[in-house]
Amino acid sequence: MAEAEKTEKTEGTEKKGTFVEKMGSVDRRIIFLLIGLAVLIPIIIEYTTAIPTSPLVQNLFDKIESLPPGSKVLMSFDYGPSTVPENQPMATAFTRHIFEKGHKLYLMALWATGPRQSEALIEDVISVEFPDKKYGEDWIHLGYKAGNQGLINTLLSDFTAMYTTDLDGTSIDEFPMMKGIGSLTDFDLILGLGSGFPGTKEWVQFAGDPGDIPVGGGTTAVMAPLLFPYYPRQIVGFLGGLQGAAEYEYALIKQYPKYEEKSRLASTSMGPQVWAHLVIVAFIIVGNITFFIERSRRKRY
Amino acid sequence: MPKGLVLSALVLAVAAFTVHAQGEPPAPADSVMQAQSAPAPSVRPPSALRAYDTPNDHGSNITIEWEVSPDDAAPGSPVTGYEILRSENPDGGFESIATIVGSATIYADNSVEDGVDYYYRVEALAGTGTSDPVQAGPVTASQQWFDRSRANLLVISVLLIAAIITYVYLSTTRELYIRKIAGLEAVNEAVGRATEMGRSILFVPGIQDMDNVQTVAGVAILGHIAQRTATYETDLNVPVSRSIVMSVGRETVKQAYLEAGRPDLYNDDMVHYITDEQFGYVAAVDGIMVREHPAACFYLGAFFAESLILAETGNSIGAIQVAGTAMPTQLPFFVAACDYTLIGEELFAASAYLSKDRKMLGSLKGQDAGKAIAMLAMLIGVGLGTLATITGSDGLMTAYQWLKRLFSLNY
Amino acid sequence: MKRTIPLLITFAVGLALIVAMFIPHVPFYELDGMFSVFYDVIAVFAFILGGGNLLKVHLNKIQNKRRDWKYSIVTVSGFFLVLAAGLLKIGVPDGWSGGYQAPGSLFKFLYDATFQPLQATMFSLLAFFVASASYRAFRAKTKEATILLVAAFIILLRPTPLGYYLTYWLPEPLRFLHIPNLSTWVLSVPNMAGQRAIMIGIALGIVSTSLRLILGIERSYLGSEGK
Amino acid sequence: MEGQAILTTPLAHAVGVWIGALLTLMIFSFLYKDNPFYKFAEHLFVGVSAAYWMTVAFWTTLIPNLIARLWPSSMGSVLPSAVGNERNWWYLVPLVLGLILLTRLIPRIAWLSRWAMAFVIGYAAGTNFTRYLQSDFVTQVQSTMVPLYEPQGTLMATIGYTFSQIVVVGGVICAVIYFYFSKEHKGSFGRAARVGIWVLMAAFGASFGYTVMARISLLTGRMDFLYNWFIGANW
């Protein structure tokens, strides 16, 4: 750094850099400072952003909104603890919306680490915010079964052959909400929450297409581009990373203002993202404007 | 069930039973014994049982296929699964080796020995009992010497190897044109600049070990740069993140100083080990940069997220930076932050380019032949696919599917 | 002797692995797996050379009191402390049979207190460097640089409300120009085309380099053909 | 042992958090300029991480994959599961190769170490050849063979689909042409190469922009840690 400073100072003293030149070569430490603040301040003031919902997310929101109350929604937890920061806010937002509309929620998992995340959802959201919802009537916890896409295949033809009991081992015949569930085609919507293989893509390929069942869901940001080719024909919509979750939260708050306070998991962590991106975008604009001014000046001499 | 249906079911059962008895010797006693001991068959047996040695494997594996039992077709059917039995003699001693839930139609038995005859029976399972068995055999497992599902990969590999070897051979007789690569032209400029300023050159061969060909390519380029630092008597500093890279790097630099006729300038600590940890290594290299102010920094090899930390710190000390990697995720950062970047394949062309070795330059032409093959295949594939969808002709569609299969992982 | 045998070893091992791809028969089937375990074991032996060099360099610095020698004491003491804690399983609840990283062990404590925060913080420096790099690099100097700038700009706008307000008013037929859709398109069309071409190029480069190594045309550590 | 109880107590946790927070600030100080704090953190990180990876290699590779395979009976309490199985003589090969790599320490026979290097380079060439041929060459060529026209429901969607496919296929072809070494980039070939570098630049710009979000979330995590430590610590 010392060397770089020396050259900058010598340049500075020779000819007083005009404002434009100074803006053209801002010291990198100022940029660092602004990025640091852009991330720290939103954390301190817990700033939440209103991320306008993109059609990709809005379609899925409208689908759940338009389903008649009491529709059957299957939610599959296909991720591990490492992607909880991105996937868990999606599960939370979906669950609130499903219960708000009086739909029936079926929890299952293609990943062995899935049930741990669905249990966290039960403790933090279901039992706290919806104590009136009865287990076995409004929601049920079916747990993990091995087989990846092979499992989806079997469930498509005979759901109860694989899930003969719920997670705790009580036979499914005792649960009223399991009546009439012969195969995946009996569900009104499948939500695949994924971060890798098997994930949302496998739910589209092995359940959505063959069984003609509406499929939606959410994935980590890095997996999102893989789902774009399926939208909108084979997938109703999906949430891409934290931003997708924040957009869904924003749509949920717009529809049900009572969630304004509680439903802020994704949008608070999107605060630093928005501010930092704005700082970067601003510096790019500044850099280019000064570049064009200097070039036009040089052309004139 | 209305009486008519029961009657037809019975007739069907008898018909199915006689049709599939062909595997067993039709000793009347045997079939009679079968009929008495088995409870009235509640479900009809599966059909078309086939057992064969699983192809393209290293043996001890037999695959069994069958059609689902006629009762299993409709959803909500009484059939809950299938039982697989195996024996080494056709008449008896069958033991169950697997029960499969759901309407499966295939099973791979990997608990067999090669060269032994096996007989298989499959029965449909229902709540109340099992259907009559259907039998197949004898079948023996064996190892194959050639994996037919990779025949297409073999063709493509032979094609590429042939292209490369022919051009390597041709290059010894004919002059070959190789286009300019900006990053490599800058190597001499960078070494010259460091010598003028009396400052050192920093070389980072990536953070992966020698089992990654990008690191091997980086160390090969290190050899050529070391020859130049030997002739110009410039300091060379090579911090490495893996111990094997240290050993191979030292051998390479030592050889280069030998060939440049300056073994006296070489000392082992030019190439020194820091730590295997990606970010510990980057923290140390950043420290070297800001304290020793190298005039030129080379980042050539496999990099991960730390690439931008190196490039930005290098930029802050005003060094010429030449980077090269075959990690698509890191190329954007090198392109943005460094003066010159070797993009993907250019990293592998560097050592041929710098050494001017005719055979190596020939192999570059072989790579170009590989590109021609790839482009041709893609263009033909797209052409066939488009025409097939527009005209809807089956001939074009099968040609298109065949070409796609030629470039698939199991042929 | 010093040159031909290494070339033969590389030729034999490389060729065997390529051939093993096409032959499922017993010896070749697990060749790849076995060689990778052999490689890991060699890498562990190499650690002795690497670690030895690290200690030699820093102990040398301390002895000759060269620049920043005091910090070398930190490296050497940190090194021995963690190595002793790990190899001797100090503090591991069930002694020798317990896991070396078991909670309660000194090794785990040192990992959580020093290694993990240092690693996470060095990684997080990238947020600063991404900003300074984009300020410096995304300038419309040449056509290529302009395309680089425009593509990055579209993606950078996506999470910001600026991106939404900039294009939400566009009428329905121009819907694909909305920032979210445009950035999706840029990511899944030109970006995919570029990545695919780079990967095809890299694959050919690696096939050619591997062949040069196996045939002994590329010799690097053995010195060029001349000598 | 009474010792291990200490390291899991809340006090030990608090000490750990304090050390972590101080080291975090030391690394951040590098952003301003090189200083003694950063030097301390850097040197500590090098020593600790080198020893960490050596310990990991010792317990996960040397013991289970070499010593347990050659002397299973000696495992005793360290790896009880291995005591039963019988010796596998094949593992003498890596043992010998590892030892001759160490001959680098003895200058007179240091040339022997090249045999071990030869094995490593042969292994690299063989595995990379097969892996990259399959995953990067064959798969990428196949996934580019996509029909340019395919009905997509509405007319607008079909036009969009066809346009995108043309850009993808054209982009891949031009970018591959850019990588051509043995042909002058002149005339129509040169123009295709130029379009190729534009496609590459668009790809680099897009993936640069796309990873910014991931990098910012890393910093958010550290700032969160520092903030909670700062307000949590009872000054």
Side-chain angles (χ1 to χ4, degrees):
Chain A
M1 292 295 185
E3 187 62 40
E5 268 156 40
K6 234 193 280 104
T7 44
E8 264 154 32
K9 276 200 202 65
T10 46
E11 269 158 31
T13 47
E14 267 146 31
K15 56 178 175 26
K16 203 76 210 84
T18 60
F19 170 78
V20 165
E21 259 151 26
K22 263 212 226 51
M23 289 312 288
S25 60
V26 166
D27 182 331
R28 69 183 69 242
R29 277 174 291 224
I30 295 168
I31 301 175
F32 295 160
L33 187 65
L34 287 176
I35 287 289
L37 294 176
V39 170
L40 191 58
I41 293 173
I43 291 176
I44 296 171
I45 60 171
E46 280 176 16
Y47 165 84
T48 60
T49 79
I51 306 259
T53 317
S54 58
L56 201 60
V57 173
Q58 194 62 48
N59 274 0
L60 187 53
F61 183 86
D62 298 343
K63 174 73 182 174
I64 295 181
E65 190 66 25
S66 63
L67 286 176
S71 315
K72 303 185 185 69
V73 179
L74 177 70
M75 192 191 289
S76 177
F77 288 75
D78 313 335
Y79 59 93
S82 62
T83 60
V84 159
E86 283 188 270
N87 290 112
Q88 201 68 16
M90 300 176 188
T92 313
F94 281 139
T95 306
R96 284 185 179 131
H97 195 190
I98 287 163
F99 279 148
E100 199 57 44
K101 289 294 293 177
H103 299 322
K104 302 238 176 297
L105 180 61
Y106 299 73
L107 305 174
M108 64 166 280
L110 293 177
W111 282 35
T113 52
R116 237 191 356 212
Q117 276 45 268
S118 40
E119 270 141 26
L121 180 82
I122 293 166
E123 276 151 35
D124 308 343
V125 178
I126 296 181
S127 49
V128 165
E129 294 177 29
F130 304 96
D132 54 338
K133 296 285 180 186
K134 277 195 269 331
Y135 184 75
E137 270 165 39
D138 300 308
W139 62 279
I140 187 167
H141 195 185
L142 296 166
Y144 161 73
K145 281 273 189 289
N148 297 346
Q149 70 267 33
L151 174 68
I152 304 177
N153 243 340
T154 321
L155 292 179
L156 189 60
S157 56
D158 189 345
F159 193 88
T160 48
M162 291 306 278
Y163 279 109
T164 47
T165 69
D166 74 348
L167 189 69
D168 315 328
T170 40
S171 150
I172 53 165
D173 305 335
E174 294 168 30
F175 301 111
M177 70 191 284
M178 285 308 285
K179 297 253 173 324
I181 299 281
S183 86
L184 281 182
T185 48
D186 299 323
F187 286 102
D188 303 305
L189 176 66
I190 296 175
L191 295 173
L193 296 170
S195 69
F197 167 83
T200 319
K201 190 166 93 148
E202 281 63 40
W203 279 108
V204 170
Q205 288 172 334
F206 292 90
D209 287 353
D212 195 15
I213 312 156
V215 170
T219 74
T220 51
V222 74
M223 293 295 287
L226 301 179
L227 289 180
F228 287 127
Y230 298 107
Y231 174 79
R233 275 202 347 237
Q234 294 151 287
I235 190 166
V236 174
F238 61 93
L239 315 184
L242 213 52
Q243 188 185 343
E247 284 176 28
Y248 200 91
E249 273 179 3
Y250 179 69
L252 192 68
I253 291 168
K254 214 162 58 174
Q255 191 75 18
Y256 305 95
K258 66 177 178 149
Y259 284 119
E260 171 68 35
E261 197 43 48
K262 280 202 291 284
S263 169
R264 296 230 313 242
L265 208 59
S267 23
T268 43
S269 38
M270 277 305 285
Q273 292 288 357
V274 172
W275 284 39
H277 275 77
L278 285 177
V279 165
I280 293 175
V281 164
F283 270 103
I284 292 177
I285 293 172
V286 161
N288 275 290
I289 290 170
T290 51
F291 170 71
F292 282 119
I293 294 169
E294 268 163 20
R295 202 168 58 166
S296 60
R297 273 212 194 117
R298 229 176 291 125
K299 275 212 183 65
R300 254 187 262 116
Y301 295 147
Chain B
M1 262 211 301
K3 238 195 318 354
L5 258 180
V6 170
L7 208 62
S8 58
L10 257 178
V11 165
L12 255 178
V14 170
F17 178 70
T18 45
V19 162
H20 293 295
Q22 90 283 10
E24 288 159 53
D30 175 53
S31 57
V32 164
M33 181 269 289
Q34 206 89 36
Q36 271 150 8
S37 68
S42 58
V43 283
R44 283 165 291 174
S47 55
L49 177 66
R50 260 181 347 109
Y52 54 88
D53 167 37
T54 316
N56 307 325
D57 73 346
H58 56 282
S60 67
N61 199 311
I62 289 177
T63 311
I64 307 123
E65 280 186 58
W66 65 89
E67 300 297 328
V68 286
S69 140
D71 298 339
D72 189 1
S77 73
V79 172
T80 60
Y82 291 85
E83 176 111 36
I84 317 265
L85 304 104
R86 183 185 67 208
S87 152
E88 288 179 28
N89 79 60
D91 309 328
F94 280 89
E95 291 134 17
S96 158
I97 51 166
T99 32
I100 308 169
V101 175
S103 54
T105 59
I106 187 165
Y107 175 73
D109 175 8
N110 52 26
S111 57
V112 292
E113 284 154 47
D114 289 356
V116 171
D117 281 355
Y118 289 101
Y119 296 85
Y120 285 91
R121 279 184 180 171
V122 174
E123 293 161 356
L125 292 172
T128 54
T130 63
S131 77
D132 299 330
V134 63
Q135 182 167 330
V139 62
T140 50
S142 65
Q143 302 187 46
Q144 283 72 41
W145 275 101
F146 176 61
D147 183 343
R148 253 194 306 286
S149 75
R150 292 198 170 147
N152 62 329
L153 287 181
L154 182 64
V155 166
I156 294 170
S157 316
V158 165
L159 218 59
L160 292 180
I161 293 172
I164 290 172
I165 290 181
T166 35
Y167 280 109
V168 164
Y169 178 71
L170 284 177
S171 68
T172 47
T173 50
R174 267 193 284 118
E175 197 56 43
L176 290 177
Y177 165 82
I178 297 292
R179 72 169 166 91
K180 290 244 167 312
I181 301 179
L184 297 173
E185 296 296 308
V187 163
N188 296 337
E189 175 200 336
V191 175
R193 184 167 181 261
T195 324
E196 277 155 36
M197 300 163 80
R199 297 230 298 270
S200 66
I201 284 181
L202 178 75
F203 187 96
V204 175
I207 59 158
Q208 286 287 291
D209 212 332
M210 285 308 277
D211 63 335
N212 186 320
V213 172
Q214 292 174 65
T215 317
V216 176
V219 169
I221 301 167
L222 170 63
H224 300 300
I225 290 180
Q227 269 181 355
R228 286 164 172 78
T229 54
T231 25
Y232 289 119
E233 290 175 16
T234 339
D235 293 341
L236 177 63
N237 184 350
V238 185
V240 293
S241 170
R242 299 292 162 115
S243 312
I244 302 182
V245 177
M246 181 185 81
S247 313
V248 178
R250 282 180 169 172
E251 277 297 307
T252 308
V253 173
K254 192 162 142 196
Q255 281 302 330
Y257 272 70
L258 223 66
E259 269 149 42
R262 296 303 307 267
D264 52 312
L265 286 179
Y266 169 77
N267 85 58
D268 259 351
D269 283 341
M270 282 183 188
V271 182
H272 51 101
Y273 171 78
I274 308 280
T275 172
D276 263 45
E277 168 53 30
Q278 166 188 14
F279 288 103
Y281 174 72
V282 137
V285 173
D286 273 7
I288 293 171
M289 282 189 197
V290 290
R291 286 161 215 148
E292 287 170 21
H293 287 286
C297 298
F298 292 97
Y299 315 115
L300 296 164
F303 289 88
F304 288 95
E306 80 294 338
S307 58
L308 189 59
I309 301 178
L310 291 170
E312 270 301 290
T313 314
N315 180 279
S316 74
I317 59 165
I320 284 189
Q321 298 196 110
V322 179
T325 184
M327 304 293 275
T329 48
Q330 301 312 315
L331 281 168
F333 301 114
F334 278 142
V335 165
C338 293
D339 304 295
Y340 301 97
T341 307
L342 303 180
I343 302 172
E345 194 180 359
E346 290 172 342
L347 171 71
F348 302 108
S351 80
Y353 194 92
L354 291 170
S355 69
K356 295 278 181 283
D357 174 299
R358 299 182 77 96
K359 282 193 183 164
M360 300 245 268
L361 291 173
S363 74
L364 293 190
K365 198 135 177 51
Q367 283 169 234
D368 284 353
K371 290 189 200 95
I373 294 168
M375 285 198 282
L376 215 63
M378 286 190 279
L379 284 175
I380 296 172
V382 167
L384 278 178
T386 315
L387 289 177
T389 0
I390 294 173
T391 59
S393 92
D394 294 341
L396 282 174
M397 187 50 93
T398 37
Y400 171 62
Q401 296 302 352
W402 178 81
L403 189 64
K404 276 186 89 161
R405 250 182 79 220
L406 180 64
F407 279 85
S408 69
L409 289 187
N410 46 48
Y411 184 64
Chain C
M1 177 61 169
K2 291 185 180 160
R3 202 195 265 300
T4 45
I5 292 199
L7 288 176
L8 281 178
I9 296 175
T10 303
F11 178 77
V13 170
L15 196 65
L17 282 169
I18 292 178
V19 161
M21 185 164 100
F22 302 103
I23 303 176
H25 206 280
V26 165
F28 292 98
Y29 138 71
E30 67 251 331
L31 211 59
D32 193 291
M34 213 163 68
F35 277 4
S36 77
V37 172
F38 287 5
Y39 168 77
D40 290 341
V41 168
I42 297 171
V44 170
F45 277 92
F47 260 122
I48 301 168
L49 296 175
N53 176 254
L54 180 72
L55 287 178
K56 194 191 86 165
V57 164
H58 284 279
L59 290 174
N60 217 312
K61 240 189 203 174
I62 298 169
Q63 217 170 9
N64 312 342
K65 301 270 188 297
R66 285 220 303 280
R67 189 165 54 118
D68 296 338
W69 65 275
K70 286 190 283 301
Y71 297 100
S72 292
I73 300 174
V74 172
T75 302
V76 171
S77 44
F79 178 81
F80 282 121
L81 180 65
V82 170
L83 200 62
L87 297 188
L88 307 175
K89 290 194 180 179
I90 297 173
V92 169
D94 354 325
W96 277 110
S97 54
Y100 63 97
Q101 284 186 343
S105 66
L106 178 59
F107 187 79
K108 181 89 171 72
F109 176 77
L110 289 173
Y111 175 82
D112 293 338
T114 61
F115 184 98
Q116 204 273 333
L118 283 168
Q119 184 186 41
T121 313
M122 270 313 289
F123 204 168
S124 71
L125 288 187
L126 276 167
F128 298 102
F129 291 135
V130 150
S132 63
S134 40
Y135 166 68
R136 206 182 57 255
F138 294 143
R139 304 248 174 115
K141 296 194 185 76
T142 62
K143 255 197 218 102
E144 285 81 13
T146 316
I147 295 174
L148 188 79
L149 161 66
V150 167
F153 207 73
I154 295 172
I155 308 291
L156 283 170
L157 284 177
R158 203 156 75 101
T160 59
L162 185 67
Y164 175 75
Y165 296 124
L166 216 59
T167 54
Y168 80 95
W169 43 272
L170 285 171
E172 184 45 33
L174 290 177
R175 198 169 58 79
F176 66 89
L177 280 181
H178 286 176
I179 284 290
N181 302 346
L182 195 59
S183 59
T184 312
W185 185 81
V186 168
L187 272 171
S188 49
V189 177
N191 176 46
M192 188 163 65
Q195 303 286 357
R196 230 177 242 160
I198 295 171
M199 285 157 91
I200 291 175
I202 289 168
L204 288 169
I206 286 183
V207 159
S208 168
T209 307
S210 303
L211 216 55
R212 292 199 301 252
L213 288 168
I214 290 172
L215 300 175
I217 301 171
E218 179 108 52
R219 296 158 170 271
S220 74
Y221 70 98
L222 293 174
S224 67
E225 229 164 36
K227 293 288 164 306
Chain D
M1 256 209 314
E2 203 272 327
Q4 95 278 3
I6 304 170
L7 288 180
T8 45
T9 58
L11 173 69
H13 179 66
V15 167
V17 167
W18 267 81
I19 297 175
L22 293 178
L23 289 177
T24 304
L25 291 173
M26 286 183 186
I27 295 284
F28 277 148
S29 70
F30 178 70
L31 290 171
Y32 178 63
K33 75 179 175 63
D34 186 26
N35 59 69
F37 294 112
Y38 175 73
K39 278 185 193 169
F40 173 83
E42 172 212 327
H43 280 81
L44 178 69
F45 195 8
V46 166
V48 163
S49 58
Y52 171 80
W53 284 109
M54 274 186 211
T55 310
V56 167
F58 181 82
W59 289 115
T60 54
T61 307
L62 195 65
I63 294 292
N65 281 347
L66 183 68
I67 309 215
R69 292 259 165 79
L70 287 175
W71 298 283
S73 53
S74 69
M75 278 298 103
S77 60
V78 172
L79 196 64
S81 61
V83 176
N85 17 10
E86 83 296 337
R87 231 183 266 268
N88 178 342
W89 290 109
W90 271 108
Y91 280 82
L92 275 181
V93 171
L95 179 64
V96 165
L97 283 173
L99 293 175
I100 58 174
L101 187 68
L102 293 183
T103 59
R104 286 196 59 75
L105 298 170
I106 312 150
R108 210 168 26 74
I109 52 167
W111 53 269
L112 246 177
S113 64
R114 289 182 179 174
W115 294 20
M117 293 181 202
F119 172 84
V120 166
I121 289 183
Y123 169 69
T127 43
N128 282 257
F129 181 97
T130 48
R131 191 180 321 137
Y132 276 85
L133 185 74
Q134 288 179 347
S135 61
D136 278 18
F137 186 74
V138 167
T139 323
Q140 295 310 326
V141 168
Q142 188 204 28
S143 35
T144 314
M145 295 182 194
V146 177
L148 294 181
Y149 167 77
E150 211 171 300
Q152 301 279 319
T154 67
L155 176 66
M156 265 303 286
T158 317
I159 294 174
Y161 172 83
T162 308
F163 173 72
S164 296
Q165 289 313 326
I166 291 171
V167 170
V168 167
V169 174
V172 172
I173 301 285
C174 289
V176 165
I177 287 175
Y178 166 78
F179 283 113
Y180 245 75
F181 294 117
S182 57
K183 199 163 187 307
E184 192 82 33
H185 284 194
K186 279 218 301 297
S188 61
F189 198 77
R191 271 193 299 281
R194 197 135 175 71
V195 169
I197 191 67
W198 291 344
V199 168
L200 290 177
M201 283 302 154
F204 292 151
S207 49
F208 187 107
Y210 192 74
T211 31
V212 165
M213 191 184 246
R215 304 297 187 238
I216 304 289
S217 59
L218 292 169
L219 183 59
T220 315
R222 285 323 293 167
M223 289 293 193
D224 225 27
F225 165 75
L226 278 180
Y227 180 62
N228 295 335
W229 160 71
F230 185 77
I231 51 171
N234 26 44
W235 296 102

